[in-house]
């Protein structure tokens, strides 16, 4: 098969790395890709929202399957457009991607289907939203309805902050239309986890649960980022809890969408909060997570390509059981100096050759470029160093030993990825 992966991050490198090993791959392409992806796929400079450019490319290259990484093309209807032209594509249609692109749609769906989530109110009127926050006690959460590149949720700890957040979103329009409508919801204390599942419109097959580390600094301090590291599995999610999440959250969501005439195919990503031992949905994403995909895919034993095809064809029930390597997989993200506000670019990356060819360590590239066999930095999140080992201790030790072999000017990373699993275990 000829396969095209759309995207340029660590998530897409992990997908390309895995797909390149598939026995059914003829030719693998990625648009636009990155320095590391160019080692396993042919990269072409087309952006994810250039739907007609991607369609022409897919026709010219006789693409048999398109795999969409990021949310923006999904929300813009790339899947609907490709389906109309009969080109198989992995990902939900725009009405399905609304589970991520509209928090109001997502929360209302959860409410109607009794899917556990924080109690909430919806506002499109600034005066009414202000009255709501004035009547509330902190903490609570304000969320923009639309896509804000992961920055649209504000956990409010003091009232002055609440007032300025509402004004910025609803009056000053810092995220345009995406922030004109807001959700105000109860704060749920607890532990977070990411629960990703393959979906074919009717049924789901879960991946092992994982945990992201969104804040920039150790001990979850500092500003939120795209994600500073992730690991899988999660020690406290036992078989009973896993079944509860699968049935009362993930499957119920797919069925609720199906009942509304939305065949949800692709990955459904539940951002969960375990509060008082019970799972609640904080948000849904309509795609693979980044960086969660890096440790999850590194742990996957089965061939990924037939699973993606089965989702598109609505035949997940027909595939063999997906198998996963034993043990723990941990990914530490290395970022550029100045990330997340003003990441530096163009720095030479050294040490990658020392890790090449390792079975138990893989460096997934995000913001990198390759020219004359030399990798340089080109974005905020640069690399996702990923290691697998029999225990949390072993995998964490191994990943940080690998990190120590890499250097570039301004390189920064969290030193505590996976520590929560050690404490919990
Ligand atoms: P979101 O963009 O919806 O995933 O929210 C970003 C982050 O804000 C989450 O990862 C949580 O840490 C936090 N958050 C969002 N909603 C809530 C909530 N209802 N209770 C507690 N924390 C929340
Ligand atoms: N890891 C967070 C996300 O993919 O949205």
């Amino acid at each position: 098969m000829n396969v095209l992966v759309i995207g340029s991050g660590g998530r897409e490198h992990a997908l390309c790395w895995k797909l390149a090993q598939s026995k059914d791959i003829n030719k693998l392409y990625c648009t636009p890709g990155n320095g590391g992806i160019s080692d396993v796929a042919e990269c072409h400079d087309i952006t994810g929202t250039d739907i007609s450019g991607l369609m022409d490319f897919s026709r010219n290259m006789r693409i048999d399957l398109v795999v969409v990484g990021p949310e923006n093309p999904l929300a813009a209807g790339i899947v609907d457009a490709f389906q109309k032209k009969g080109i198989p594509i992995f990902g939900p249609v725009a009405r399905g991607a609304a589970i991520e692109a509209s928090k109001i749609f997502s929360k209302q769906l959860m409410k109607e289907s009794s899917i556990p989530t924080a109690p909430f109110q919806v506002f499109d009127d600034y005066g009414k939203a202000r009255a709501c926050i004035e009547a509330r006690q902190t903490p609570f959460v304000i969320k923009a309805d639309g896509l804000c590149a992961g920055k649209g949720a504000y956990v409010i700890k003091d009232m002055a902050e609440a007032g300025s957040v509402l004004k910025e979103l609803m009056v000053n329009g810092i995220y345009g239309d995406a922030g004109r409508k807001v959700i105000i919801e109860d704060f749920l204390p607890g532990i977070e986890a990411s629960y990703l599942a393959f979906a074919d419109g009717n049924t789901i097959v879960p991946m092992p649960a994982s945990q992201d580390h969104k804040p920039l600094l150790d001990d979850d301090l500092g500003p939120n980022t795209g994600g500073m590291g992730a690991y899988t599995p999660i020690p406290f999610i036992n078989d009973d809890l896993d079944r509860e999440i699968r049935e009362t959250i993930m499957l119920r969501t797919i069925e609720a969408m199906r009942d509304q005439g939305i065949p949800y195919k692709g990955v459904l990503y539940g951002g969960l909060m375990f509060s008082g031992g019970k799972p609640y949905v904080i948000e849904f994403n309509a795609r693979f997570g980044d960086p969660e995909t890096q440790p999850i895919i590194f742990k996957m034993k089965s061939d990924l390509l037939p699973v993606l095809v089965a989702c598109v064809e609505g035949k997940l029930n027909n595939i063999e059981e997906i198998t996963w390597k034993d043990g723990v997989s941990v990914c530490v993200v290395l970022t550029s100096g100045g990330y997340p506000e003003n990441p530096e670019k163009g720095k030479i990356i050294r040490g990658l050759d020392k890790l090449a060819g390792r079975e138990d360590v893989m460096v997934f590239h995000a913001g990198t470029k390759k020219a004359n066999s030399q990798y340089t930095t080109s974005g905020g999140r640069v690399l996702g160093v990923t290691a697998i080992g029999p225990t949390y201790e072993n995998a964490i030790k191994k990943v940080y030993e690998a990190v120590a072999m890499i250097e570039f000017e301004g390189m920064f990373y969290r030193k505590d990825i996976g520590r929560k699993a050690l404490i919990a275990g």
Side-chain angles (χ1 to χ4, degrees), residues 353-364:
D353 48 324
K354 293 182 215 155
L355 296 165
R358 289 267 301 263
E359 286 268 306
D360 54 350
V361 175
M362 176 68 202
V363 182
F364 293 113

Side-chain angles (χ1 to χ4, degrees), residues 370-407:
K370 189 179 182 188
N372 307 320
S373 308
Q374 174 73 65
Y375 299 97
T376 52
T377 67
S378 65
R381 290 192 291 178
V382 176
L383 299 168
V385 184
T386 309
I388 194 161
T391 60
Y392 288 98
E393 286 84 351
N394 178 280
I396 292 168
K397 182 167 175 283
K398 205 183 279 185
V399 80
Y400 280 108
E401 282 169 3
V403 166
M405 296 190 191
I406 298 173
E407 52 175 325

